[in-house]
Amino acid sequence: MKTDSPFLELADDAPRVRVWFDGQPLDLPAGANLAAALLAAGVQVFRHTAVSGAPRAPFCMMGACFECLVEIGGRVQQACMLEVEEGMKIARPCAAEAGDAAL
Ligand code: FES
């Protein structure tokens, strides 16, 4: 699912591991920051807001904005606070689960 992305990988020769994003296979650099790796792979929308359904993607990359929420193993987590691991099954969270109602 490689698409044009404005983001470049610094270490293009890093070992890759297979992960799944909304059912699509992606080969990402092992141990890379998950949010950065997904952006570099061309993922542009990580979730949608509960109120308007507006698309959201990482903004701060340091755990402050919660725009990078994804669901992994049934838990909604900040992608920018995670490292890429083999076999991750990542999904866009339901907006209500992502806690948007409070925003
Ligand atoms: S990008 Fe802001 S919390 Fe992850």
Side-chain angles (χ1 to χ4, degrees):
M1 186 169 100
K2 182 76 174 167
T3 61
D4 289 338
S5 170
F7 300 97
L8 301 174
E9 294 179 13
L10 295 178
D12 203 17
D13 58 345
R16 302 280 166 157
V17 293
R18 172 68 48 101
V19 305
W20 302 86
F21 186 84
D22 272 355
Q24 298 293 316
L26 294 173
D27 294 321
L28 303 180
N33 177 280
L34 179 59
L38 289 173
L39 288 169
V43 175
Q44 297 179 343
V45 176
F46 283 47
R47 67 182 183 92
H48 293 87
T49 64
V51 176
S52 69
R56 290 291 189 253
F59 182 71
C60 72
M61 299 299 284
M62 61 182 196
C65 74
F66 288 76
E67 298 291 10
C68 65
L69 293 176
V70 292
E71 182 179 328
I72 302 172
R75 287 186 57 209
V76 177
Q77 305 176 66
Q78 295 158 287
C80 71
M81 296 287 103
L82 300 172
E83 292 183 355
V84 173
E85 296 176 10
E86 173 79 44
M88 285 178 138
K89 296 200 172 29
I90 308 155
R92 291 185 177 100
C94 154
E97 292 173 0
D100 272 349
L103 297 179

